[in-house]
Amino acid sequence: MRIGIKAKNILFILLGSGIFAFGIVHFNMQNNLAEGGFTGITLLLYSLFKIDPSYSNLILNIPIFFIGWRLLGKRAFIYTIIGTIATSLFLWVFQRKHFTIPLEHDMFLAALFAGIFIGIGLGIIFRYGGTTGGVDIIARLVFKYKGLAMGRTMFIFDACVITLSLLTYLDYREAMYTLVAVFVGARVIDFMQEGAYSARGALIISPKHDEIASLIMKDMDRGVTVLRGHGSYTKEDKDVLYCVVGKNEIVRLKGLINSIDPHAFVSVSIVHDVLGEGFTLDENKKPIEI
């Protein structure tokens, strides 16, 4: 507990590992679709040599974990070990207790569901502190010792694995659908990381900023921050209000602003993640359980 291990995180990492493994077995393996990263290597070994992915996943990842454990930190290292072992266990179970989903005549649907299940599974794992190990650790090592951006390293690795799969066991049709699955999976991971909830941030410029701020705090119970600005054209100092509200509150916010100053300048942007009072903390500064 001193390093912050939480039972809730472990449970969700187990859930994410199960969803991920289900997608690999029932959509990738059943429809001969490849994947990037170390998962792609396990599928490659399975197609060429019939090596069970549940075994090769452990064989490939465990040594990498111990090479890069200092980069992960104790908590992330433990979560990653749990996720990897759980993934291998679920892969083993689903291969022996699976059911057939007949999608061989609709490969687009197979690729779509492969990306969705893999994206949801990995997204949950990432969201609760785990990692996929393998390529993530390699990318961190390359960044540390060679200075190459992690995203670029991961992209190069994934591209090499998918290309190798194309040259060995995929036909061009399966390779194209694999790219669809990888793309969908990446977008779903982003969605899971950001959360289904996204807020809206509003920058408000108005000579009646004090009245607007008071009304927002009173009627919407939302905090407002005053930023000091300087107009490049007018050469005048201005107070700029910044407020973050739920996306379902933005229409109400605009209405309040308009009721005081119809000519106010308002810029609204999407806020993918919000930490703090009213969002992740209650009025007593205690975490809100999601």
Side-chain angles (χ1 to χ4, degrees):
M1 294 302 296
R2 285 183 296 178
I3 59 176
I5 299 298
K6 296 180 179 179
K8 173 184 174 182
N9 290 44
I10 293 175
L11 289 174
F12 274 100
I13 289 172
L14 293 175
L15 174 63
S17 299
I19 295 172
F20 173 71
F22 182 91
I24 290 294
V25 172
H26 291 88
F27 297 106
N28 288 74
M29 294 176 66
Q30 286 189 15
N31 297 282
N32 205 39
L33 295 175
E35 178 60 36
F38 272 33
T39 303
I41 295 178
T42 64
L43 294 177
L44 179 65
L45 294 174
Y46 174 75
S47 296
L48 295 180
F49 307 109
K50 299 305 176 184
I51 299 175
D52 192 323
S54 62
Y55 301 140
S56 57
N57 182 61
L58 283 176
I59 293 170
L60 291 171
N61 273 301
I62 294 301
I64 298 296
F65 293 153
F66 285 100
I67 292 173
W69 72 274
R70 290 182 181 274
L71 295 174
L72 289 173
K74 292 181 179 179
R75 180 170 57 185
F77 174 73
I78 291 173
Y79 285 154
T80 299
I81 289 293
I82 292 171
T84 302
I85 293 175
T87 297
S88 289
L89 178 61
F90 281 120
L91 285 170
W92 188 89
V93 171
F94 286 137
Q95 286 182 87
R96 288 152 181 82
K97 300 291 183 181
H98 72 281
F99 55 90
T100 302
I101 303 176
L103 293 176
E104 62 274 7
H105 299 301
D106 193 345
M107 288 295 289
F108 180 79
L109 201 57
L112 182 63
F113 275 96
I116 290 173
F117 273 82
I118 290 172
I120 290 175
L122 292 180
I124 292 173
I125 293 172
F126 295 159
R127 190 174 178 86
Y128 287 90
T131 74
T132 53
V135 181
D136 179 63
I137 297 175
I138 291 174
R140 295 188 192 197
L141 288 170
V142 172
F143 175 76
K144 181 177 181 179
Y145 294 107
K146 297 295 182 180
L148 189 64
M150 288 180 60
R152 181 173 297 182
T153 300
M154 296 174 76
F155 174 79
I156 292 172
F157 194 97
D158 288 350
C160 289
V161 172
I162 293 174
T163 301
L164 186 59
S165 300
L166 172 62
L167 295 175
T168 52
Y169 74 96
L170 294 181
D171 59 31
Y172 288 103
R173 178 171 175 267
E174 292 166 343
M176 288 188 288
Y177 282 116
T178 291
L179 294 177
V180 172
V182 170
F183 177 80
V184 172
R187 299 286 74 77
V188 173
I189 289 173
D190 289 341
F191 177 80
M192 295 297 296
Q193 286 283 81
E194 295 162 359
Y197 177 84
S198 63
R200 297 293 183 268
L203 287 171
I204 308 159
I205 302 175
S206 169
K208 300 180 179 180
H209 52 83
D210 286 334
E211 296 175 53
I212 293 174
S214 296
L215 191 59
I216 292 173
M217 290 186 287
K218 179 182 177 181
D219 282 18
M220 299 188 66
D221 197 28
R222 289 296 186 188
V224 181
T225 300
V226 179
L227 308 175
R228 303 301 178 188
H230 182 78
S232 180
Y233 179 75
T234 62
K235 308 300 181 185
E236 297 178 357
D237 292 333
K238 299 178 185 242
D239 285 338
V240 181
L241 304 181
Y242 181 68
C243 180
V244 177
V245 299
K247 62 182 178 182
N248 60 323
E249 298 176 304
I250 193 63
V251 173
R252 184 180 173 194
L253 175 65
K254 291 178 181 178
L256 291 180
I257 297 169
N258 187 69
S259 68
I260 296 177
D261 184 5
H263 304 291
F265 179 85
V266 182
S267 172
V268 179
S269 59
I270 297 175
V271 180
H272 292 294
D273 206 0
V274 188
L275 305 176
E277 187 175 346
F279 295 93
T280 58
L281 300 175
D282 62 20
E283 63 274 9
N284 298 315
K285 308 294 184 183
K286 293 183 179 180
I288 299 173
E289 291 295 332
I290 301 174

